[in-house]
Amino acid sequence: MKLNKIFYVLFAIGLLTSCEKQLEVSPTDNIPGELAFTSEANISGILVGAYEEAGQAATYGGRLQLMTNMLGATNESFWLGTFIQPREAFTKRLLVDNTFIEGIWANAYETINQANLVLDNIATVTSSTEEANRIEGEAKFLRALNYFDLVRNFGAPYVAGQANTQLGVPLRLTGIVDYSVRSEIARSTVDQVYA
């Protein structure tokens, strides 16, 4: 018994005195904000991040398609799942606290913001005109795809052959870097979003 007490005391002393200096490791998966837009590789990395953001579960990873299918479902399909959020869409009784809908909205705007940051800093891409055009085209595609799905799901329906001045979704064409500044904007018309 006495030997066990001595062992525990020595072990405790070893734990308390063994590490006097904290381990400081710089993260390798991110860079400081002031350097984010300074090189072509960083701009390409932001574009890759926008693709990754778009592929998350909330939007093109599956929930966007699930929720639109549930909203459009009539007698041809049914929902037997246990998740409440798709059931709300299936029964056409969406509540304001539906986390699937909140996730779709937030994830789409996160992707749009990253695409906007790429477009805002496209002048940094100087290796070739073709590379700059490719990066710009991909960023515009991601932004347009997300706005297309946002306006179809959260705006008034588009009506062919007439002016579509009904409300769509907020249209932001510049990136946000500083989230401490208020950045609310009004909803744009459906025509403005499609354009």
Side-chain angles (χ1 to χ4, degrees):
M1 188 65 149
K2 188 175 182 182
L3 187 59
N4 283 342
K5 287 182 182 179
I6 292 172
F7 174 74
Y8 287 125
V9 169
L10 289 175
F11 183 71
I13 291 171
L15 281 177
L16 295 173
T17 61
S18 63
C19 297
E20 296 173 10
K21 193 174 175 185
Q22 287 187 349
L23 179 63
E24 293 183 23
V25 177
S26 297
T28 58
D29 63 343
N30 61 28
I31 58 175
E34 61 272 5
L35 299 177
F37 310 113
T38 59
S39 75
E40 184 173 325
N42 293 350
I43 298 299
S44 293
I46 295 170
L47 181 61
V48 169
Y51 276 109
E52 190 279 327
E53 191 74 44
Q56 290 181 1
T59 50
Y60 300 109
R63 288 189 182 157
L64 173 65
Q65 293 84 356
L66 173 68
M67 294 303 280
T68 55
N69 285 344
M70 293 293 109
L71 281 170
T74 55
N75 295 334
E76 294 86 30
S77 63
F78 53 90
W79 175 255
L80 295 176
T82 58
F83 287 109
I84 295 170
Q85 297 89 340
R87 181 170 305 284
E88 289 177 5
F90 182 72
T91 60
K92 317 302 185 261
R93 294 184 194 130
L94 287 170
L95 300 177
V96 295
D97 64 347
N98 189 303
T99 57
F100 278 31
I101 298 296
E102 178 186 351
I104 290 168
W105 180 272
N107 189 255
Y109 273 105
E110 288 167 5
T111 304
I112 289 167
N113 189 55
Q114 288 184 8
N116 282 338
L117 291 172
V118 169
L119 294 169
D120 292 346
N121 296 283
I122 196 68
T124 306
V125 181
T126 58
S127 65
S128 70
T129 304
E130 293 82 21
E131 183 67 6
N133 289 342
R134 180 191 67 79
I135 291 172
E136 181 180 16
E138 288 184 28
K140 284 183 176 179
F141 164 76
L142 280 173
R143 182 173 70 183
L145 178 64
N146 279 273
Y147 271 126
F148 178 68
D149 282 323
L150 281 171
V151 77
R152 287 187 317 141
N153 287 292
F154 297 102
Y158 179 87
V159 181
Q162 73 177 37
N164 286 280
T165 57
Q166 63 274 31
L167 290 178
V169 294
L171 184 63
R172 182 176 303 280
L173 301 176
T174 58
I176 300 171
V177 178
D178 183 7
Y179 285 96
S180 65
V181 177
R182 292 186 61 108
S183 59
E184 295 89 5
I185 57 175
R187 290 171 65 182
S188 300
T189 66
V190 171
D191 266 344
Q192 290 169 326
V193 176
Y194 271 83

